[in-house]
Amino acid sequence: MSGTSHPYAIEAEDLGRKYLRGWALRECSFRLPAGCVSALVGPNGAGKSTLLGIAARLLRPTTGSLRLFGKEMGDPAALRHVAFVDQERPLYKRFTVAETLRMGRELNPRWDQAAAERIVEAGKVPFGARVGTLSSGQRTRVALALAFAKRAELLLLDEPMADLDPLARHELSALLLSEAVERGLTVLMSSHLLSELEEMCDHLVVLAGARLRMVGHVDELVPAHRLVTGLADPGPGPGEGAGVLPAGIAGRHTVIESRFSGRQFTALLRTDTDPGDAYESVEPSLEEVLLGYLRSAEAPPLISPASRLSAAAPHAEGKAA
Ligand SMILES: Nc1ncnc2c1ncn2[C@@H]1O[C@H](COP(=O)(O)OP(=O)(O)OP(=O)(O)O)[C@@H](O)[C@H]1O
């Protein structure tokens, strides 16, 4: 069972991190409900590791604040709830696997040695091997064993599956899901493998160009869209392209993305009304929605009502704008 009864694992308010080259993360405000398994998605350089690093308190934000289970980041109690698996898997290379687990046991009062050993054994990683001699997938497994055995309520995982083989991915994602259900564990994991995320995650945080593009439960995000095809209106003049979106589409719905092929258009719309019989309209897949938001930087972001800081919540109401 979760040791905290707070409804939100993460509440980020105007969170930003600036480097000399520019913003790595900017104006990031959202909240992540406790108990969800959330995919952190976005292109290379979008700001995913930066967000995870701030949440793990390895990076200081330049702007804004972040609460973990209602506790401000400066509160040492906040960090007890969190385990982080860094993209680089920083482990002591000279330690053996057994020594690494012993270190975990000594540093963490809620340490679950049996869980750590199970995860290591399932990958046939020798306990006597030095970490520096392990393959990258084996090191990932040891890092995940440390994170799981800490018995944290929030797991922050930076590309946890990237160097695991398909069997290990399957096994460890099943473990994540069962822990999430049994212990009310919250997971925020970055990945580029959408197919893998679709099976595992019930929630999405999408970043592009350092800004939030989409946040919410998959069940809320996908049905808020329609993928519409139909005949385009003629373009404004010769040489201006094949056509434009019909006024009934462009004027009545939020167009996330549109494409033209001959006289046909295909548009991803954010809408709760049917575009009408003149068009063919289907619910898009998660991948179609995600790619639409990632390709169209100018499309307005979608932060679901439950993921907005301004939504009704006893502790957040005072801060809502
Ligand atoms: N220490 C740093 N100094 C300067 N710029 C940095 C630093 N760390 C990150 N950045 C920049 O911040 C931006 C966001 O980087 P970040 O690592 O958060 O992206 P990411 O979404 O995790 O990317 P990837 O999918 O490639 O891992 C990038 O443009 C990156 O170059």
Side-chain angles (χ1 to χ4, degrees):
M1 276 297 291
S2 172
T4 153
S5 57
H6 199 275
Y8 298 103
I10 294 179
E11 292 163 284
E13 190 165 359
D14 190 32
L15 204 62
R17 167 88 187 182
K18 194 177 184 189
Y19 291 105
L20 281 179
R21 283 208 303 269
W23 291 92
L25 191 70
R26 191 161 198 193
E27 293 169 5
C28 185
S29 294
F30 74 100
R31 58 191 195 182
L32 182 70
C36 70
V37 179
S38 184
L40 177 56
V41 192
N44 290 129
K48 302 179 299 293
S49 298
T50 304
L51 175 60
L52 291 171
I54 294 174
R57 278 216 356 220
L58 295 178
L59 290 174
R60 261 179 203 281
T62 313
T63 64
S65 64
L66 186 129
R67 288 183 293 280
L68 299 174
F69 298 102
K71 296 194 165 51
E72 294 295 339
M73 283 181 67
D75 184 341
L79 218 53
R80 276 207 300 274
H81 299 300
V82 181
F84 178 45
V85 174
D86 191 280
Q87 202 169 9
E88 307 298 331
R89 326 285 188 237
L91 298 167
Y92 291 106
K93 291 198 168 81
R94 286 166 173 272
F95 279 19
T96 64
V97 174
E99 285 164 348
T100 303
L101 298 193
R102 191 172 342 129
M103 179 189 70
R105 192 170 64 219
E106 306 216 338
L107 291 176
N108 295 290
R110 299 166 62 192
W111 181 255
D112 184 340
Q113 179 73 10
E117 287 179 5
R118 259 199 317 275
I119 294 170
V120 169
E121 273 167 2
K124 299 188 174 58
V125 183
F127 284 99
R130 289 200 190 283
V131 167
T133 68
L134 299 180
S135 73
S136 58
Q138 289 171 326
R139 265 203 308 279
T140 293
R141 184 176 278 277
V142 174
L144 284 169
L146 282 179
F148 271 101
K150 191 178 171 189
R151 283 282 173 256
E153 277 93 26
L154 171 62
L155 276 189
L156 302 169
L157 309 176
D158 203 350
E159 299 198 29
M161 308 291 173
D163 42 19
L164 294 177
D165 66 58
L167 275 180
R169 265 184 209 168
H170 193 263
E171 171 217 333
L172 287 163
S173 47
L175 181 68
L176 263 183
L177 286 182
S178 70
E179 290 275 310
V181 171
E182 276 170 34
R183 295 201 295 119
L185 179 73
T186 312
V187 183
L188 179 60
M189 55 183 282
S190 72
S191 173
H192 291 289
L193 300 169
L194 187 65
S195 52
E196 157 195 298
L197 296 176
E198 213 166 344
E199 279 172 27
M200 291 182 63
C201 299
D202 52 7
H203 188 278
L204 267 187
V205 177
V206 181
L207 281 168
R211 293 179 187 269
L212 283 176
R213 301 293 294 130
M214 201 160 47
V215 185
H217 277 284
V218 173
D219 291 353
E220 304 171 273
L221 296 177
V222 174
H225 298 86
R226 303 296 293 172
L227 193 64
V228 180
T229 49
L231 267 188
D233 279 358
E240 293 281 338
V244 295
L245 281 181
I249 293 288
R252 288 180 45 217
H253 309 281
T254 303
V255 180
I256 303 303
E257 186 189 35
S258 58
R259 271 169 289 148
F260 296 86
S261 166
R263 285 213 55 208
Q264 283 260 321
F265 75 87
T266 302
L268 177 68
L269 307 181
R270 188 153 98 210
T271 182
D272 50 13
T273 53
D274 195 280
D277 292 342
Y279 311 105
E280 200 181 311
S281 154
V282 294
E283 186 172 293
S285 67
L286 174 60
E287 184 169 17
E288 283 163 335
V289 174
L290 180 60
L291 291 178
Y293 277 79
L294 290 181
R295 281 192 292 242
S296 309
E298 71 288 354
L302 173 56
I303 315 296
S304 79
S307 307
R308 288 181 208 145
L309 275 185
S310 52
H315 58 283
E317 267 170 359
K319 297 195 172 246

mmCIF file of all heavy atoms in Angstrom, residues 19 21 23-24 42-51 87 158-159 192, ligand 1:
data_model
loop_
_atom_site.group_PDB
_atom_site.id
_atom_site.type_symbol
_atom_site.label_atom_id
_atom_site.label_comp_id
_atom_site.label_asym_id
_atom_site.label_seq_id
_atom_site.Cartn_x
_atom_site.Cartn_y
_atom_site.Cartn_z
ATOM 1 N N TYR A 19 19.470 26.877 -19.582
ATOM 2 C CA TYR A 19 20.920 26.779 -19.730
ATOM 3 C C TYR A 19 21.386 27.952 -20.583
ATOM 4 O O TYR A 19 20.567 28.686 -21.115
ATOM 5 C CB TYR A 19 21.295 25.455 -20.415
ATOM 6 C CG TYR A 19 21.039 24.242 -19.564
ATOM 7 C CD1 TYR A 19 19.958 23.410 -19.820
ATOM 8 C CD2 TYR A 19 21.868 23.931 -18.496
ATOM 9 C CE1 TYR A 19 19.711 22.295 -19.030
ATOM 10 C CE2 TYR A 19 21.628 22.815 -17.712
ATOM 11 C CZ TYR A 19 20.546 22.010 -17.979
ATOM 12 O OH TYR A 19 20.307 20.925 -17.198
ATOM 13 N N ARG A 21 22.459 27.928 -23.496
ATOM 14 C CA ARG A 21 21.946 27.784 -24.866
ATOM 15 C C ARG A 21 20.466 28.087 -24.981
ATOM 16 O O ARG A 21 19.943 28.273 -26.070
ATOM 17 C CB ARG A 21 22.187 26.354 -25.359
ATOM 18 C CG ARG A 21 23.585 26.040 -25.789
ATOM 19 C CD ARG A 21 23.598 24.935 -26.841
ATOM 20 N NE ARG A 21 22.965 23.712 -26.392
ATOM 21 C CZ ARG A 21 23.616 22.717 -25.789
ATOM 22 N NH1 ARG A 21 24.897 22.816 -25.579
ATOM 23 N NH2 ARG A 21 22.985 21.629 -25.414
ATOM 24 N N TRP A 23 16.233 27.508 -23.049
ATOM 25 C CA TRP A 23 15.379 26.790 -22.104
ATOM 26 C C TRP A 23 15.340 25.298 -22.430
ATOM 27 O O TRP A 23 15.062 24.913 -23.558
ATOM 28 C CB TRP A 23 13.953 27.345 -22.147
ATOM 29 C CG TRP A 23 13.846 28.732 -21.597
ATOM 30 C CD1 TRP A 23 13.946 29.897 -22.282
ATOM 31 C CD2 TRP A 23 13.640 29.080 -20.213
ATOM 32 N NE1 TRP A 23 13.822 30.963 -21.416
ATOM 33 C CE2 TRP A 23 13.629 30.494 -20.150
ATOM 34 C CE3 TRP A 23 13.476 28.356 -19.037
ATOM 35 C CZ2 TRP A 23 13.447 31.185 -18.953
ATOM 36 C CZ3 TRP A 23 13.298 29.042 -17.848
ATOM 37 C CH2 TRP A 23 13.286 30.432 -17.808
ATOM 38 N N ALA A 24 15.601 24.474 -21.427
ATOM 39 C CA ALA A 24 15.450 23.021 -21.583
ATOM 40 C C ALA A 24 14.031 22.612 -21.194
ATOM 41 O O ALA A 24 13.520 21.571 -21.625
ATOM 42 C CB ALA A 24 16.450 22.298 -20.695
ATOM 43 N N GLY A 42 8.394 12.556 -26.054
ATOM 44 C CA GLY A 42 8.764 13.750 -26.807
ATOM 45 C C GLY A 42 10.025 13.478 -27.597
ATOM 46 O O GLY A 42 10.760 12.528 -27.296
ATOM 47 N N PRO A 43 10.299 14.311 -28.591
ATOM 48 C CA PRO A 43 11.497 14.088 -29.410
ATOM 49 C C PRO A 43 12.789 14.276 -28.621
ATOM 50 O O PRO A 43 12.749 14.788 -27.488
ATOM 51 C CB PRO A 43 11.390 15.159 -30.510
ATOM 52 C CG PRO A 43 10.219 15.998 -30.192
ATOM 53 C CD PRO A 43 9.535 15.482 -28.985
ATOM 54 N N ASN A 44 13.901 13.922 -29.214
ATOM 55 C CA ASN A 44 15.209 14.165 -28.581
ATOM 56 C C ASN A 44 15.330 15.646 -28.236
ATOM 57 O O ASN A 44 14.980 16.504 -29.037
ATOM 58 C CB ASN A 44 16.343 13.794 -29.546
ATOM 59 C CG ASN A 44 16.446 12.299 -29.769
ATOM 60 O OD1 ASN A 44 16.489 11.838 -30.891
ATOM 61 N ND2 ASN A 44 16.464 11.531 -28.702
ATOM 62 N N GLY A 45 15.816 15.899 -27.017
ATOM 63 C CA GLY A 45 16.033 17.287 -26.605
ATOM 64 C C GLY A 45 14.776 18.011 -26.163
ATOM 65 O O GLY A 45 14.800 19.228 -25.948
ATOM 66 N N ALA A 46 13.666 17.278 -26.005
ATOM 67 C CA ALA A 46 12.396 17.941 -25.659
ATOM 68 C C ALA A 46 12.365 18.464 -24.226
ATOM 69 O O ALA A 46 11.583 19.353 -23.899
ATOM 70 C CB ALA A 46 11.235 16.966 -25.871
ATOM 71 N N GLY A 47 13.177 17.874 -23.348
ATOM 72 C CA GLY A 47 13.170 18.296 -21.947
ATOM 73 C C GLY A 47 12.750 17.199 -20.980
ATOM 74 O O GLY A 47 12.570 17.450 -19.779
ATOM 75 N N LYS A 48 12.657 15.959 -21.471
ATOM 76 C CA LYS A 48 12.171 14.858 -20.629
ATOM 77 C C LYS A 48 13.122 14.585 -19.458
ATOM 78 O O LYS A 48 12.693 14.521 -18.300
ATOM 79 C CB LYS A 48 11.992 13.577 -21.469
ATOM 80 C CG LYS A 48 11.038 13.751 -22.633
ATOM 81 C CD LYS A 48 10.904 12.495 -23.459
ATOM 82 C CE LYS A 48 12.173 12.007 -24.113
ATOM 83 N NZ LYS A 48 12.705 12.903 -25.175
ATOM 84 N N SER A 49 14.410 14.417 -19.780
ATOM 85 C CA SER A 49 15.371 14.133 -18.701
ATOM 86 C C SER A 49 15.456 15.313 -17.745
ATOM 87 O O SER A 49 15.673 15.127 -16.542
ATOM 88 C CB SER A 49 16.766 13.861 -19.274
ATOM 89 O OG SER A 49 16.724 12.741 -20.097
ATOM 90 N N THR A 50 15.291 16.519 -18.263
ATOM 91 C CA THR A 50 15.342 17.697 -17.404
ATOM 92 C C THR A 50 14.184 17.654 -16.403
ATOM 93 O O THR A 50 14.387 17.887 -15.201
ATOM 94 C CB THR A 50 15.275 18.976 -18.270
ATOM 95 O OG1 THR A 50 16.333 18.920 -19.229
ATOM 96 C CG2 THR A 50 15.394 20.224 -17.431
ATOM 97 N N LEU A 51 12.999 17.338 -16.875
ATOM 98 C CA LEU A 51 11.847 17.257 -15.966
ATOM 99 C C LEU A 51 12.064 16.162 -14.917
ATOM 100 O O LEU A 51 11.841 16.373 -13.716
ATOM 101 C CB LEU A 51 10.567 16.988 -16.775
ATOM 102 C CG LEU A 51 9.296 16.751 -15.958
ATOM 103 C CD1 LEU A 51 8.969 17.969 -15.086
ATOM 104 C CD2 LEU A 51 8.104 16.426 -16.865
ATOM 105 N N GLN A 87 19.097 7.980 -16.957
ATOM 106 C CA GLN A 87 19.410 7.436 -18.291
ATOM 107 C C GLN A 87 20.819 6.828 -18.337
ATOM 108 O O GLN A 87 21.066 5.858 -19.043
ATOM 109 C CB GLN A 87 19.330 8.591 -19.293
ATOM 110 C CG GLN A 87 19.102 8.172 -20.712
ATOM 111 C CD GLN A 87 18.768 9.377 -21.594
ATOM 112 O OE1 GLN A 87 18.862 10.525 -21.174
ATOM 113 N NE2 GLN A 87 18.399 9.110 -22.808
ATOM 114 N N ASP A 158 14.073 7.039 -16.545
ATOM 115 C CA ASP A 158 14.488 7.682 -17.792
ATOM 116 C C ASP A 158 14.891 6.598 -18.790
ATOM 117 O O ASP A 158 15.932 5.961 -18.630
ATOM 118 C CB ASP A 158 15.645 8.650 -17.505
ATOM 119 C CG ASP A 158 15.752 9.726 -18.573
ATOM 120 O OD1 ASP A 158 15.061 9.601 -19.601
ATOM 121 O OD2 ASP A 158 16.520 10.688 -18.373
ATOM 122 N N GLU A 159 14.058 6.402 -19.763
ATOM 123 C CA GLU A 159 14.242 5.366 -20.790
ATOM 124 C C GLU A 159 14.636 4.019 -20.180
ATOM 125 O O GLU A 159 15.680 3.449 -20.522
ATOM 126 C CB GLU A 159 15.272 5.832 -21.816
ATOM 127 C CG GLU A 159 14.801 7.100 -22.508
ATOM 128 C CD GLU A 159 15.520 7.399 -23.796
ATOM 129 O OE1 GLU A 159 15.961 6.444 -24.460
ATOM 130 O OE2 GLU A 159 15.633 8.575 -24.140
ATOM 131 N N HIS A 192 11.006 6.327 -26.056
ATOM 132 C CA HIS A 192 10.715 6.668 -27.448
ATOM 133 C C HIS A 192 9.890 5.567 -28.107
ATOM 134 O O HIS A 192 9.502 5.696 -29.251
ATOM 135 C CB HIS A 192 12.019 6.848 -28.233
ATOM 136 C CG HIS A 192 12.780 8.061 -27.810
ATOM 137 N ND1 HIS A 192 12.375 9.332 -28.093
ATOM 138 C CD2 HIS A 192 13.912 8.208 -27.092
ATOM 139 C CE1 HIS A 192 13.216 10.207 -27.593
ATOM 140 N NE2 HIS A 192 14.171 9.543 -26.964
HETATM 141 N N1 LIG B 1 23.916 20.417 -18.852
HETATM 142 C C1 LIG B 1 23.374 21.008 -19.920
HETATM 143 N N2 LIG B 1 23.907 22.118 -20.458
HETATM 144 C C2 LIG B 1 23.360 22.724 -21.533
HETATM 145 N N3 LIG B 1 22.243 22.285 -22.154
HETATM 146 C C3 LIG B 1 21.664 21.176 -21.671
HETATM 147 C C4 LIG B 1 22.184 20.471 -20.534
HETATM 148 N N4 LIG B 1 21.397 19.416 -20.274
HETATM 149 C C5 LIG B 1 20.418 19.437 -21.207
HETATM 150 N N5 LIG B 1 20.587 20.495 -22.043
HETATM 151 C C6 LIG B 1 19.724 20.848 -23.189
HETATM 152 O O1 LIG B 1 18.392 20.898 -22.738
HETATM 153 C C7 LIG B 1 17.510 20.379 -23.727
HETATM 154 C C8 LIG B 1 16.658 19.277 -23.108
HETATM 155 O O2 LIG B 1 17.506 18.166 -22.812
HETATM 156 P P1 LIG B 1 16.947 16.818 -22.174
HETATM 157 O O3 LIG B 1 18.113 15.938 -21.905
HETATM 158 O O4 LIG B 1 16.052 17.165 -21.053
HETATM 159 O O5 LIG B 1 16.070 16.249 -23.386
HETATM 160 P P2 LIG B 1 15.374 14.805 -23.546
HETATM 161 O O6 LIG B 1 13.956 15.061 -23.953
HETATM 162 O O7 LIG B 1 15.594 13.969 -22.340
HETATM 163 O O8 LIG B 1 16.163 14.230 -24.800
HETATM 164 P P3 LIG B 1 16.518 12.666 -25.220
HETATM 165 O O9 LIG B 1 15.238 12.058 -25.703
HETATM 166 O O10 LIG B 1 17.483 12.878 -26.345
HETATM 167 O O11 LIG B 1 17.116 11.985 -24.029
HETATM 168 C C9 LIG B 1 18.375 19.935 -24.892
HETATM 169 O O12 LIG B 1 18.377 20.947 -25.864
HETATM 170 C C10 LIG B 1 19.756 19.785 -24.268
HETATM 171 O O13 LIG B 1 20.751 20.049 -25.221
#
